Amino acid sequence: MFLVGANRPPAPVNVSVMHLRADSATVSWEVPEGDIIIGFSISQQRQEGHMQRFIREVNTTSRSCVLWDLEEETDYIIQVQSIGLYGESQASKKVHFRTLKKTDRFPSNSSNQDDPTVQGLDKSRHLQTGEMIIIVVVLVMWAAVIALFCRQYDIIKDNDSSNNKEKAKPSSERSTPEHHSGGLLRSKFHPSVPSINIIEV
């Protein structure tokens, strides 16, 4: 038991809270070098003492965690523990923070760009925007193809209607070929007239 306790990792240091919002906050910390850390655990509670959440994650080298579903204008207390091969470290010092109002805007800070959690959230937003643009472009292309198809179909349908009308004309309307003199073309052959022979007496 003494050996296991001696091999436990030291407690995290420089625990801080950043990216405060009305319903979320990001916790970050550092781990002393030379120790194998395989995870972390975070205890989160309201300042009045009510335990609200206990977060535990292993098989990770992350040094930050986003706390979600917080209440606006509420005081919280957090502590972080490192998880090593032989157990958990002592809890870090308590850190107090207070969430913002929903109407408050998150103050800009140049150091926020180095936070891997925020970078991941920004990448997700960029991916969602890119996906929406691709969907809109595909829909526009499909609409153009459908409009072109309908136009071609109308042209073909009009041509078929014209041909059917031409074929449907009555035979009486089709003029019989006329002779160049204006009369109807008559046959060159005439019916034979019986011959009359006059016999003189």
Side-chain angles (χ1 to χ4, degrees), residues 59-91:
N59 296 327
T60 179
T61 58
S62 177
R63 300 293 182 264
S64 64
C65 179
V66 179
L67 306 178
W68 298 101
D69 300 327
L70 303 179
E71 295 184 4
E72 62 174 334
E73 292 189 294
T74 304
D75 295 314
Y76 290 93
I77 301 174
I78 59 169
Q79 286 183 292
V80 184
Q81 291 176 276
S82 296
I83 301 176
L85 297 176
Y86 302 100
E88 298 181 358
S89 69
Q90 296 293 327

PDB file of all heavy atoms in Angstrom, residues 59-91:
ATOM      1  N   ASN A  59      -7.501   7.397 -20.718  1.00  0.00           N
ATOM      2  CA  ASN A  59      -6.920   7.204 -22.053  1.00  0.00           C
ATOM      3  C   ASN A  59      -6.919   8.512 -22.839  1.00  0.00           C
ATOM      4  O   ASN A  59      -7.309   8.562 -24.012  1.00  0.00           O
ATOM      5  CB  ASN A  59      -7.677   6.120 -22.831  1.00  0.00           C
ATOM      6  CG  ASN A  59      -7.564   4.755 -22.173  1.00  0.00           C
ATOM      7  OD1 ASN A  59      -6.552   4.428 -21.557  1.00  0.00           O
ATOM      8  ND2 ASN A  59      -8.618   3.955 -22.291  1.00  0.00           N
ATOM      9  N   THR A  60      -6.506   9.557 -22.179  1.00  0.00           N
ATOM     10  CA  THR A  60      -6.414  10.859 -22.828  1.00  0.00           C
ATOM     11  C   THR A  60      -5.241  11.633 -22.246  1.00  0.00           C
ATOM     12  O   THR A  60      -4.874  11.441 -21.081  1.00  0.00           O
ATOM     13  CB  THR A  60      -7.710  11.660 -22.647  1.00  0.00           C
ATOM     14  OG1 THR A  60      -7.566  12.942 -23.281  1.00  0.00           O
ATOM     15  CG2 THR A  60      -8.027  11.880 -21.181  1.00  0.00           C
ATOM     16  N   THR A  61      -4.674  12.483 -23.069  1.00  0.00           N
ATOM     17  CA  THR A  61      -3.597  13.370 -22.625  1.00  0.00           C
ATOM     18  C   THR A  61      -4.062  14.815 -22.569  1.00  0.00           C
ATOM     19  O   THR A  61      -3.252  15.734 -22.452  1.00  0.00           O
ATOM     20  CB  THR A  61      -2.384  13.254 -23.565  1.00  0.00           C
ATOM     21  OG1 THR A  61      -2.805  13.590 -24.901  1.00  0.00           O
ATOM     22  CG2 THR A  61      -1.814  11.844 -23.553  1.00  0.00           C
ATOM     23  N   SER A  62      -5.362  15.013 -22.650  1.00  0.00           N
ATOM     24  CA  SER A  62      -5.907  16.367 -22.654  1.00  0.00           C
ATOM     25  C   SER A  62      -5.647  17.047 -21.316  1.00  0.00           C
ATOM     26  O   SER A  62      -5.670  16.423 -20.252  1.00  0.00           O
ATOM     27  CB  SER A  62      -7.411  16.321 -22.936  1.00  0.00           C
ATOM     28  OG  SER A  62      -7.963  17.618 -22.872  1.00  0.00           O
ATOM     29  N   ARG A  63      -5.427  18.348 -21.370  1.00  0.00           N
ATOM     30  CA  ARG A  63      -5.213  19.160 -20.176  1.00  0.00           C
ATOM     31  C   ARG A  63      -6.287  20.236 -20.060  1.00  0.00           C
ATOM     32  O   ARG A  63      -6.060  21.279 -19.457  1.00  0.00           O
ATOM     33  CB  ARG A  63      -3.815  19.803 -20.215  1.00  0.00           C
ATOM     34  CG  ARG A  63      -2.672  18.800 -20.263  1.00  0.00           C
ATOM     35  CD  ARG A  63      -2.577  18.007 -18.975  1.00  0.00           C
ATOM     36  NE  ARG A  63      -1.460  17.078 -18.993  1.00  0.00           N
ATOM     37  CZ  ARG A  63      -1.538  15.796 -19.318  1.00  0.00           C
ATOM     38  NH1 ARG A  63      -2.726  15.287 -19.657  1.00  0.00           N
ATOM     39  NH2 ARG A  63      -0.478  15.020 -19.314  1.00  0.00           N
ATOM     40  N   SER A  64      -7.438  19.965 -20.632  1.00  0.00           N
ATOM     41  CA  SER A  64      -8.553  20.909 -20.537  1.00  0.00           C
ATOM     42  C   SER A  64      -9.859  20.152 -20.690  1.00  0.00           C
ATOM     43  O   SER A  64      -9.899  19.048 -21.226  1.00  0.00           O
ATOM     44  CB  SER A  64      -8.448  22.005 -21.612  1.00  0.00           C
ATOM     45  OG  SER A  64      -8.566  21.433 -22.902  1.00  0.00           O
ATOM     46  N   CYS A  65     -10.934  20.759 -20.205  1.00  0.00           N
ATOM     47  CA  CYS A  65     -12.248  20.129 -20.266  1.00  0.00           C
ATOM     48  C   CYS A  65     -13.310  21.227 -20.257  1.00  0.00           C
ATOM     49  O   CYS A  65     -13.192  22.218 -19.534  1.00  0.00           O
ATOM     50  CB  CYS A  65     -12.450  19.178 -19.086  1.00  0.00           C
ATOM     51  SG  CYS A  65     -14.068  18.368 -19.045  1.00  0.00           S
ATOM     52  N   VAL A  66     -14.351  21.037 -21.077  1.00  0.00           N
ATOM     53  CA  VAL A  66     -15.447  22.000 -21.149  1.00  0.00           C
ATOM     54  C   VAL A  66     -16.578  21.540 -20.227  1.00  0.00           C
ATOM     55  O   VAL A  66     -17.009  20.386 -20.294  1.00  0.00           O
ATOM     56  CB  VAL A  66     -15.966  22.141 -22.588  1.00  0.00           C
ATOM     57  CG1 VAL A  66     -17.120  23.143 -22.639  1.00  0.00           C
ATOM     58  CG2 VAL A  66     -14.855  22.600 -23.514  1.00  0.00           C
ATOM     59  N   LEU A  67     -17.033  22.436 -19.369  1.00  0.00           N
ATOM     60  CA  LEU A  67     -18.158  22.163 -18.481  1.00  0.00           C
ATOM     61  C   LEU A  67     -19.422  22.718 -19.132  1.00  0.00           C
ATOM     62  O   LEU A  67     -19.510  23.912 -19.426  1.00  0.00           O
ATOM     63  CB  LEU A  67     -17.935  22.826 -17.121  1.00  0.00           C
ATOM     64  CG  LEU A  67     -16.621  22.486 -16.410  1.00  0.00           C
ATOM     65  CD1 LEU A  67     -16.521  23.249 -15.096  1.00  0.00           C
ATOM     66  CD2 LEU A  67     -16.491  20.989 -16.183  1.00  0.00           C
ATOM     67  N   TRP A  68     -20.395  21.845 -19.355  1.00  0.00           N
ATOM     68  CA  TRP A  68     -21.628  22.231 -20.027  1.00  0.00           C
ATOM     69  C   TRP A  68     -22.798  22.290 -19.038  1.00  0.00           C
ATOM     70  O   TRP A  68     -22.699  21.845 -17.917  1.00  0.00           O
ATOM     71  CB  TRP A  68     -21.965  21.245 -21.151  1.00  0.00           C
ATOM     72  CG  TRP A  68     -20.933  21.178 -22.231  1.00  0.00           C
ATOM     73  CD1 TRP A  68     -19.966  20.229 -22.406  1.00  0.00           C
ATOM     74  CD2 TRP A  68     -20.749  22.106 -23.297  1.00  0.00           C
ATOM     75  NE1 TRP A  68     -19.197  20.503 -23.511  1.00  0.00           N
ATOM     76  CE2 TRP A  68     -19.655  21.652 -24.075  1.00  0.00           C
ATOM     77  CE3 TRP A  68     -21.410  23.287 -23.663  1.00  0.00           C
ATOM     78  CZ2 TRP A  68     -19.213  22.330 -25.210  1.00  0.00           C
ATOM     79  CZ3 TRP A  68     -20.965  23.968 -24.799  1.00  0.00           C
ATOM     80  CH2 TRP A  68     -19.889  23.487 -25.554  1.00  0.00           C
ATOM     81  N   ASP A  69     -23.902  22.814 -19.539  1.00  0.00           N
ATOM     82  CA  ASP A  69     -25.170  22.843 -18.794  1.00  0.00           C
ATOM     83  C   ASP A  69     -25.041  23.564 -17.450  1.00  0.00           C
ATOM     84  O   ASP A  69     -25.613  23.129 -16.441  1.00  0.00           O
ATOM     85  CB  ASP A  69     -25.704  21.430 -18.572  1.00  0.00           C
ATOM     86  CG  ASP A  69     -25.968  20.709 -19.877  1.00  0.00           C
ATOM     87  OD1 ASP A  69     -26.352  21.390 -20.846  1.00  0.00           O
ATOM     88  OD2 ASP A  69     -25.788  19.484 -19.927  1.00  0.00           O
ATOM     89  N   LEU A  70     -24.298  24.643 -17.436  1.00  0.00           N
ATOM     90  CA  LEU A  70     -24.200  25.452 -16.224  1.00  0.00           C
ATOM     91  C   LEU A  70     -25.355  26.454 -16.186  1.00  0.00           C
ATOM     92  O   LEU A  70     -25.968  26.762 -17.200  1.00  0.00           O
ATOM     93  CB  LEU A  70     -22.868  26.194 -16.193  1.00  0.00           C
ATOM     94  CG  LEU A  70     -21.602  25.322 -16.287  1.00  0.00           C
ATOM     95  CD1 LEU A  70     -20.363  26.206 -16.264  1.00  0.00           C
ATOM     96  CD2 LEU A  70     -21.561  24.302 -15.170  1.00  0.00           C
ATOM     97  N   GLU A  71     -25.624  26.964 -14.997  1.00  0.00           N
ATOM     98  CA  GLU A  71     -26.673  27.959 -14.840  1.00  0.00           C
ATOM     99  C   GLU A  71     -26.062  29.354 -14.835  1.00  0.00           C
ATOM    100  O   GLU A  71     -24.966  29.565 -14.305  1.00  0.00           O
ATOM    101  CB  GLU A  71     -27.448  27.720 -13.541  1.00  0.00           C
ATOM    102  CG  GLU A  71     -28.213  26.402 -13.516  1.00  0.00           C
ATOM    103  CD  GLU A  71     -29.042  26.246 -12.263  1.00  0.00           C
ATOM    104  OE1 GLU A  71     -29.080  27.213 -11.456  1.00  0.00           O
ATOM    105  OE2 GLU A  71     -29.635  25.170 -12.077  1.00  0.00           O
ATOM    106  N   GLU A  72     -26.774  30.279 -15.409  1.00  0.00           N
ATOM    107  CA  GLU A  72     -26.241  31.641 -15.507  1.00  0.00           C
ATOM    108  C   GLU A  72     -26.166  32.306 -14.136  1.00  0.00           C
ATOM    109  O   GLU A  72     -26.963  32.021 -13.236  1.00  0.00           O
ATOM    110  CB  GLU A  72     -27.106  32.472 -16.451  1.00  0.00           C
ATOM    111  CG  GLU A  72     -28.538  32.654 -16.004  1.00  0.00           C
ATOM    112  CD  GLU A  72     -29.301  33.591 -16.898  1.00  0.00           C
ATOM    113  OE1 GLU A  72     -28.679  34.454 -17.527  1.00  0.00           O
ATOM    114  OE2 GLU A  72     -30.538  33.466 -16.958  1.00  0.00           O
ATOM    115  N   GLU A  73     -25.185  33.174 -13.993  1.00  0.00           N
ATOM    116  CA  GLU A  73     -24.968  33.939 -12.761  1.00  0.00           C
ATOM    117  C   GLU A  73     -24.959  33.032 -11.530  1.00  0.00           C
ATOM    118  O   GLU A  73     -25.612  33.289 -10.531  1.00  0.00           O
ATOM    119  CB  GLU A  73     -26.045  35.016 -12.608  1.00  0.00           C
ATOM    120  CG  GLU A  73     -25.944  36.118 -13.633  1.00  0.00           C
ATOM    121  CD  GLU A  73     -26.881  37.271 -13.329  1.00  0.00           C
ATOM    122  OE1 GLU A  73     -28.103  37.068 -13.388  1.00  0.00           O
ATOM    123  OE2 GLU A  73     -26.373  38.374 -13.017  1.00  0.00           O
ATOM    124  N   THR A  74     -24.193  31.959 -11.632  1.00  0.00           N
ATOM    125  CA  THR A  74     -24.101  30.994 -10.533  1.00  0.00           C
ATOM    126  C   THR A  74     -22.645  30.784 -10.184  1.00  0.00           C
ATOM    127  O   THR A  74     -21.776  30.700 -11.068  1.00  0.00           O
ATOM    128  CB  THR A  74     -24.743  29.650 -10.931  1.00  0.00           C
ATOM    129  OG1 THR A  74     -26.103  29.884 -11.331  1.00  0.00           O
ATOM    130  CG2 THR A  74     -24.721  28.668  -9.774  1.00  0.00           C
ATOM    131  N   ASP A  75     -22.356  30.674  -8.879  1.00  0.00           N
ATOM    132  CA  ASP A  75     -20.989  30.444  -8.402  1.00  0.00           C
ATOM    133  C   ASP A  75     -20.717  28.944  -8.321  1.00  0.00           C
ATOM    134  O   ASP A  75     -21.529  28.180  -7.778  1.00  0.00           O
ATOM    135  CB  ASP A  75     -20.794  31.080  -7.030  1.00  0.00           C
ATOM    136  CG  ASP A  75     -20.900  32.600  -7.079  1.00  0.00           C
ATOM    137  OD1 ASP A  75     -20.288  33.204  -7.983  1.00  0.00           O
ATOM    138  OD2 ASP A  75     -21.606  33.183  -6.224  1.00  0.00           O
ATOM    139  N   TYR A  76     -19.550  28.549  -8.849  1.00  0.00           N
ATOM    140  CA  TYR A  76     -19.149  27.137  -8.854  1.00  0.00           C
ATOM    141  C   TYR A  76     -17.752  26.990  -8.257  1.00  0.00           C
ATOM    142  O   TYR A  76     -16.947  27.925  -8.259  1.00  0.00           O
ATOM    143  CB  TYR A  76     -19.149  26.573 -10.271  1.00  0.00           C
ATOM    144  CG  TYR A  76     -20.524  26.406 -10.872  1.00  0.00           C
ATOM    145  CD1 TYR A  76     -21.087  27.426 -11.642  1.00  0.00           C
ATOM    146  CD2 TYR A  76     -21.247  25.235 -10.676  1.00  0.00           C
ATOM    147  CE1 TYR A  76     -22.347  27.276 -12.202  1.00  0.00           C
ATOM    148  CE2 TYR A  76     -22.512  25.075 -11.234  1.00  0.00           C
ATOM    149  CZ  TYR A  76     -23.049  26.097 -11.993  1.00  0.00           C
ATOM    150  OH  TYR A  76     -24.295  25.954 -12.544  1.00  0.00           O
ATOM    151  N   ILE A  77     -17.482  25.783  -7.765  1.00  0.00           N
ATOM    152  CA  ILE A  77     -16.158  25.417  -7.258  1.00  0.00           C
ATOM    153  C   ILE A  77     -15.731  24.128  -7.956  1.00  0.00           C
ATOM    154  O   ILE A  77     -16.517  23.172  -8.048  1.00  0.00           O
ATOM    155  CB  ILE A  77     -16.176  25.194  -5.734  1.00  0.00           C
ATOM    156  CG1 ILE A  77     -16.633  26.452  -5.024  1.00  0.00           C
ATOM    157  CG2 ILE A  77     -14.796  24.763  -5.238  1.00  0.00           C
ATOM    158  CD1 ILE A  77     -16.815  26.275  -3.521  1.00  0.00           C
ATOM    159  N   ILE A  78     -14.509  24.088  -8.460  1.00  0.00           N
ATOM    160  CA  ILE A  78     -14.006  22.884  -9.134  1.00  0.00           C
ATOM    161  C   ILE A  78     -12.659  22.481  -8.540  1.00  0.00           C
ATOM    162  O   ILE A  78     -11.908  23.309  -8.010  1.00  0.00           O
ATOM    163  CB  ILE A  78     -13.852  23.105 -10.655  1.00  0.00           C
ATOM    164  CG1 ILE A  78     -12.883  24.263 -10.924  1.00  0.00           C
ATOM    165  CG2 ILE A  78     -15.195  23.328 -11.318  1.00  0.00           C
ATOM    166  CD1 ILE A  78     -12.467  24.365 -12.371  1.00  0.00           C
ATOM    167  N   GLN A  79     -12.369  21.177  -8.651  1.00  0.00           N
ATOM    168  CA  GLN A  79     -11.068  20.617  -8.310  1.00  0.00           C
ATOM    169  C   GLN A  79     -10.719  19.557  -9.346  1.00  0.00           C
ATOM    170  O   GLN A  79     -11.598  18.840  -9.832  1.00  0.00           O
ATOM    171  CB  GLN A  79     -11.077  20.000  -6.909  1.00  0.00           C
ATOM    172  CG  GLN A  79     -11.085  21.018  -5.779  1.00  0.00           C
ATOM    173  CD  GLN A  79     -11.031  20.362  -4.413  1.00  0.00           C
ATOM    174  OE1 GLN A  79     -11.990  19.707  -3.999  1.00  0.00           O
ATOM    175  NE2 GLN A  79      -9.915  20.530  -3.723  1.00  0.00           N
ATOM    176  N   VAL A  80      -9.430  19.465  -9.662  1.00  0.00           N
ATOM    177  CA  VAL A  80      -8.968  18.537 -10.702  1.00  0.00           C
ATOM    178  C   VAL A  80      -8.015  17.530 -10.085  1.00  0.00           C
ATOM    179  O   VAL A  80      -7.194  17.873  -9.226  1.00  0.00           O
ATOM    180  CB  VAL A  80      -8.274  19.295 -11.853  1.00  0.00           C
ATOM    181  CG1 VAL A  80      -7.871  18.333 -12.977  1.00  0.00           C
ATOM    182  CG2 VAL A  80      -9.186  20.394 -12.404  1.00  0.00           C
ATOM    183  N   GLN A  81      -8.120  16.273 -10.531  1.00  0.00           N
ATOM    184  CA  GLN A  81      -7.196  15.210 -10.133  1.00  0.00           C
ATOM    185  C   GLN A  81      -6.619  14.550 -11.372  1.00  0.00           C
ATOM    186  O   GLN A  81      -7.320  14.364 -12.376  1.00  0.00           O
ATOM    187  CB  GLN A  81      -7.916  14.151  -9.289  1.00  0.00           C
ATOM    188  CG  GLN A  81      -8.351  14.606  -7.915  1.00  0.00           C
ATOM    189  CD  GLN A  81      -9.125  13.531  -7.188  1.00  0.00           C
ATOM    190  OE1 GLN A  81     -10.334  13.376  -7.378  1.00  0.00           O
ATOM    191  NE2 GLN A  81      -8.416  12.761  -6.361  1.00  0.00           N
ATOM    192  N   SER A  82      -5.344  14.182 -11.288  1.00  0.00           N
ATOM    193  CA  SER A  82      -4.709  13.427 -12.368  1.00  0.00           C
ATOM    194  C   SER A  82      -4.852  11.932 -12.100  1.00  0.00           C
ATOM    195  O   SER A  82      -4.807  11.487 -10.954  1.00  0.00           O
ATOM    196  CB  SER A  82      -3.227  13.791 -12.493  1.00  0.00           C
ATOM    197  OG  SER A  82      -3.075  15.150 -12.859  1.00  0.00           O
ATOM    198  N   ILE A  83      -5.020  11.150 -13.171  1.00  0.00           N
ATOM    199  CA  ILE A  83      -5.126   9.701 -13.067  1.00  0.00           C
ATOM    200  C   ILE A  83      -3.866   9.089 -13.674  1.00  0.00           C
ATOM    201  O   ILE A  83      -3.550   9.321 -14.844  1.00  0.00           O
ATOM    202  CB  ILE A  83      -6.372   9.170 -13.793  1.00  0.00           C
ATOM    203  CG1 ILE A  83      -7.633   9.811 -13.207  1.00  0.00           C
ATOM    204  CG2 ILE A  83      -6.448   7.657 -13.704  1.00  0.00           C
ATOM    205  CD1 ILE A  83      -8.908   9.415 -13.926  1.00  0.00           C
ATOM    206  N   GLY A  84      -3.122   8.341 -12.846  1.00  0.00           N
ATOM    207  CA  GLY A  84      -1.903   7.692 -13.308  1.00  0.00           C
ATOM    208  C   GLY A  84      -2.065   6.185 -13.390  1.00  0.00           C
ATOM    209  O   GLY A  84      -3.164   5.638 -13.268  1.00  0.00           O
ATOM    210  N   LEU A  85      -0.960   5.490 -13.588  1.00  0.00           N
ATOM    211  CA  LEU A  85      -1.011   4.032 -13.706  1.00  0.00           C
ATOM    212  C   LEU A  85      -1.340   3.361 -12.380  1.00  0.00           C
ATOM    213  O   LEU A  85      -1.843   2.233 -12.355  1.00  0.00           O
ATOM    214  CB  LEU A  85       0.335   3.518 -14.226  1.00  0.00           C
ATOM    215  CG  LEU A  85       0.736   3.986 -15.638  1.00  0.00           C
ATOM    216  CD1 LEU A  85       2.126   3.487 -15.966  1.00  0.00           C
ATOM    217  CD2 LEU A  85      -0.270   3.489 -16.662  1.00  0.00           C
ATOM    218  N   TYR A  86      -1.064   4.037 -11.285  1.00  0.00           N
ATOM    219  CA  TYR A  86      -1.257   3.422  -9.966  1.00  0.00           C
ATOM    220  C   TYR A  86      -2.316   4.127  -9.130  1.00  0.00           C
ATOM    221  O   TYR A  86      -2.345   3.989  -7.909  1.00  0.00           O
ATOM    222  CB  TYR A  86       0.073   3.394  -9.211  1.00  0.00           C
ATOM    223  CG  TYR A  86       1.155   2.640  -9.945  1.00  0.00           C
ATOM    224  CD1 TYR A  86       2.120   3.333 -10.673  1.00  0.00           C
ATOM    225  CD2 TYR A  86       1.187   1.254  -9.936  1.00  0.00           C
ATOM    226  CE1 TYR A  86       3.103   2.649 -11.363  1.00  0.00           C
ATOM    227  CE2 TYR A  86       2.169   0.561 -10.636  1.00  0.00           C
ATOM    228  CZ  TYR A  86       3.129   1.260 -11.344  1.00  0.00           C
ATOM    229  OH  TYR A  86       4.100   0.576 -12.040  1.00  0.00           O
ATOM    230  N   GLY A  87      -3.174   4.917  -9.775  1.00  0.00           N
ATOM    231  CA  GLY A  87      -4.236   5.565  -9.029  1.00  0.00           C
ATOM    232  C   GLY A  87      -4.359   7.045  -9.347  1.00  0.00           C
ATOM    233  O   GLY A  87      -3.754   7.551 -10.294  1.00  0.00           O
ATOM    234  N   GLU A  88      -5.134   7.722  -8.515  1.00  0.00           N
ATOM    235  CA  GLU A  88      -5.395   9.140  -8.715  1.00  0.00           C
ATOM    236  C   GLU A  88      -4.553   9.985  -7.770  1.00  0.00           C
ATOM    237  O   GLU A  88      -4.175   9.540  -6.692  1.00  0.00           O
ATOM    238  CB  GLU A  88      -6.880   9.443  -8.489  1.00  0.00           C
ATOM    239  CG  GLU A  88      -7.815   8.732  -9.448  1.00  0.00           C
ATOM    240  CD  GLU A  88      -9.261   9.089  -9.199  1.00  0.00           C
ATOM    241  OE1 GLU A  88      -9.513   9.872  -8.253  1.00  0.00           O
ATOM    242  OE2 GLU A  88     -10.126   8.597  -9.935  1.00  0.00           O
ATOM    243  N   SER A  89      -4.296  11.184  -8.214  1.00  0.00           N
ATOM    244  CA  SER A  89      -3.529  12.112  -7.389  1.00  0.00           C
ATOM    245  C   SER A  89      -4.431  12.769  -6.358  1.00  0.00           C
ATOM    246  O   SER A  89      -5.653  12.566  -6.345  1.00  0.00           O
ATOM    247  CB  SER A  89      -2.900  13.190  -8.278  1.00  0.00           C
ATOM    248  OG  SER A  89      -3.917  14.041  -8.799  1.00  0.00           O
ATOM    249  N   GLN A  90      -3.807  13.568  -5.502  1.00  0.00           N
ATOM    250  CA  GLN A  90      -4.586  14.404  -4.597  1.00  0.00           C
ATOM    251  C   GLN A  90      -5.317  15.473  -5.409  1.00  0.00           C
ATOM    252  O   GLN A  90      -4.891  15.827  -6.520  1.00  0.00           O
ATOM    253  CB  GLN A  90      -3.669  15.059  -3.562  1.00  0.00           C
ATOM    254  CG  GLN A  90      -2.977  14.072  -2.635  1.00  0.00           C
ATOM    255  CD  GLN A  90      -3.958  13.368  -1.705  1.00  0.00           C
ATOM    256  OE1 GLN A  90      -4.964  13.955  -1.296  1.00  0.00           O
ATOM    257  NE2 GLN A  90      -3.667  12.125  -1.369  1.00  0.00           N
ATOM    258  N   ALA A  91      -6.388  15.957  -4.857  1.00  0.00           N
ATOM    259  CA  ALA A  91      -7.145  16.998  -5.560  1.00  0.00           C
ATOM    260  C   ALA A  91      -6.358  18.302  -5.583  1.00  0.00           C
ATOM    261  O   ALA A  91      -5.605  18.616  -4.663  1.00  0.00           O
ATOM    262  CB  ALA A  91      -8.495  17.212  -4.890  1.00  0.00           C
TER     263      ALA A  91
END
